[in-house]
Amino acid sequence: MAEEAILGYLENHEEIPDSGQFATDNGLDHNDVINVIKSLHGFRYIEAQDIKRETLVLTEEGRKYAEKGSPEVQLFLAVPEEGSISKEELQKLLDPAVFKIGCSQAAKNKWVQMGNQISRKVQHVEDRVKDLLLRIQDGQEPGKDDNNSLKTRKLTALQTWKGYSVKRGPDYAPTRRRTATDLTREHLLGGDWRNIEFKEYNFSAKGPPPESGHLHPLNKVKERIKNIFRLMNFEEMPTNKYVESSFWNFDALFQPQQHPARDSHDTFFLKAPETTKQLPEDYVELVKRVHESGGYGSRGYGYEWKREEANKNLLRTHTTAISSRMLYALAQQSFTPKKYFSIDRVFRNEAVDRTHLAEFHQIEGLVCDRGLTLGHLIGVLQDFFSRLGMDKLKFKPAYNPYTEPSMEIFSYHEGLEKWVEIGNSGMFRPEMLRPMGFSEDVNVIAWGLSLERWILGSSRKTLYALLELGRLRNASALSSVPSLVFEKQIRLSLCLGKPD
């Protein structure tokens, strides 16, 4: 309706000087008129020029006084014509804001005698404030002094009115031509395409944003933990060897060849290549000797160590296989204290369920230096886990083939309201370190945990901090952990904690 009115008016007139007045004269809503003007201007049917006017309007307080009278007059009328009224009684008759302003303005105008008892000093007053407010409501402009007075009392405010003046545009027509945006099958079959006006193609328009990939939540947490290790001055170990020999995965760690973890139902052994051909022979001989007959204060395991078992290739069951390689390489040089860490995939021949996968990520950290003790290990663990949002830790003695003493690490879970195991730790045994070439005063403290299981057991607060607040710039490639399995883990972990 507004469009027909505007185009029809311009057919016989040169200009619409004021869109507001035009809307009033034609009984139209000004907002509708504005929207139509913008649309017609975009298609060059009209040319529009902005109009801005500042008008004086009443504030909410001003509208109230225009209806009921100014506070000073309301107070004056509440004071009896003869005699006086106590201040407390008068206060009960009026709104607190009206009483406060009324007392001030009535005393200023010398209408009343203020004190504990309030009485009139004059019998008749004129509510000039109300009169001014009513005139402004009717569209009249007050004098400069009156305007400043009302503005000071915050009874009026300037309101900016926006509108348009309108003239015919270069493509003006009394009615809008409907343009087609697409050439359809019906247009071609019916021949309408010959007469249809098509909308111009906008080469500057932006298309829809392309779909893009997102970092897997596991990789976000993984990178965040890497940054924590780096802040603690740890050096990342190269972990690109998924295939390891049994020697580096088990034997170098002083894990006996008859250990249950070395059975095929716990470990993935390779068929091709089935065995390794490259091992440091001098070191292999020292490892064989300590397994069979001990040394360095140990009796060993007292069995016949077999080279063919050590040569078997497998998918590494823990990243400690990389740690054993790194420590052996470190022992061959002039000793330098080192801090190493790794986060990468390991593989176990396990049944897949909601808490187990055949492959998962292991987090591992170790410190190699002279004179390290169990106290140093506990201190490093408290520092590391506090950066992950876990301040309440407990340690429990445990057994590992290649660490002594060994400790399980527990953290208090606020959501479950109980202590849960989050990792394992210990000091590498002399039977592992001395054959490598380390002197007796060199010790290694180490710990490890599963990344997925840690996320599964984390509180909602910890996950939020790592996934949302720790947004990262340099992230690794998308994780190979099956997304459906991981999403189930994330959903379950979010259910574990109470809402924070």
Side-chain angles (χ1 to χ4, degrees), residues 173-441:
T175 56
R176 189 198 289 252
R177 297 182 297 274
R178 301 300 172 185
T179 56
T181 56
D182 295 299
L183 180 63
T184 65
R185 178 174 178 271
E186 288 73 19
H187 293 155
L188 295 173
L189 290 176
D192 298 337
W193 61 272
R194 294 184 180 90
N195 303 315
I196 290 176
E197 183 177 343
F198 289 94
K199 185 178 180 181
E200 291 183 8
Y201 196 87
N202 184 1
F203 291 95
S204 301
K206 294 182 179 180
E211 292 290 331
S212 58
H214 301 277
L215 286 177
H216 194 289
L218 188 67
N219 267 3
K220 290 185 181 181
V221 177
K222 181 177 167 183
E223 192 63 26
R224 176 63 176 152
I225 295 174
K226 282 187 177 183
N227 284 342
I228 289 173
F229 273 116
R230 293 178 187 123
L231 288 171
M232 295 174 68
N233 294 320
F234 278 70
E235 177 184 337
E236 186 171 7
M237 295 185 282
T239 56
N240 55 349
K241 292 177 68 67
Y242 292 157
V243 175
E244 270 292 359
S245 66
S246 293
F247 177 80
W248 292 110
N249 198 81
F250 294 122
D251 296 275
L253 301 178
F254 195 57
Q255 194 159 334
Q257 292 185 337
Q258 66 272 24
H259 194 280
R262 302 180 70 154
D263 293 340
S264 60
H265 65 267
D266 283 325
T267 302
F268 291 110
F269 288 95
L270 269 65
K271 289 186 178 180
E274 187 175 1
T275 59
T276 185
K277 297 179 181 178
Q278 295 180 344
L279 291 174
E281 294 301 328
D282 293 343
Y283 179 45
V284 169
E285 188 59 36
L286 292 172
V287 170
K288 174 184 177 181
R289 188 184 309 162
V290 78
H291 274 253
E292 290 183 340
S293 56
Y296 319 106
S298 169
R299 293 184 300 175
Y301 291 114
Y303 71 97
E304 183 182 352
W305 187 86
K306 296 179 181 179
R307 176 64 180 266
E308 53 270 25
E309 281 293 325
N311 285 345
K312 289 181 179 179
N313 283 331
L314 48 79
L315 293 178
R316 67 183 180 207
T317 62
H318 48 192
T319 52
T320 316
I322 304 297
S323 301
S324 64
R325 282 180 175 272
M326 295 295 291
L327 289 172
Y328 173 72
L330 182 64
Q332 308 315 302
Q333 308 165 11
S334 177
F335 179 72
T336 304
K338 284 287 185 179
K339 294 179 179 181
Y340 289 129
F341 82 92
S342 65
I343 307 175
D344 212 337
R345 274 179 282 183
V346 296
F347 308 87
R348 304 278 176 88
N349 192 1
E350 296 193 43
V352 176
D353 58 28
R354 69 181 181 85
T355 59
H356 295 83
L357 293 172
E359 63 173 275
F360 58 93
H361 288 73
Q362 181 178 333
I363 305 169
E364 182 164 343
L366 66 89
V367 180
C368 179
D369 203 350
R370 302 184 191 276
L372 294 176
T373 66
L374 197 64
H376 291 104
L377 174 59
I378 292 174
V380 171
L381 291 175
Q382 288 174 335
D383 185 14
F384 174 75
F385 284 104
S386 68
R387 295 170 187 255
L388 289 175
M390 292 179 276
D391 297 317
K392 298 179 182 178
L393 296 181
K394 285 203 309 189
F395 306 97
K396 176 183 175 183
Y399 169 76
N400 294 314
Y402 45 88
T403 58
E404 180 61 39
S406 306
M407 300 186 303
E408 291 174 346
I409 310 165
F410 291 81
S411 174
Y412 187 77
H413 194 295
E414 300 291 346
L416 297 177
E417 297 182 349
K418 68 176 184 179
W419 294 90
V420 294
E421 183 182 354
I422 56 172
N424 218 318
S425 65
M427 301 182 66
F428 284 150
R429 297 176 67 107
E431 297 95 322
M432 173 185 166
L433 299 178
R434 304 298 169 255
M436 290 179 174
F438 287 114
S439 59
E440 291 187 4
D441 62 339

Side-chain angles (χ1 to χ4, degrees), residues 22-41:
F22 180 83
T24 302
D25 294 342
N26 289 272
L28 300 172
D29 182 88
H30 188 240
N31 289 328
D32 293 339
V33 171
I34 291 294
N35 291 332
V36 170
I37 289 174
K38 289 179 179 178
S39 175
L40 292 173
H41 179 68

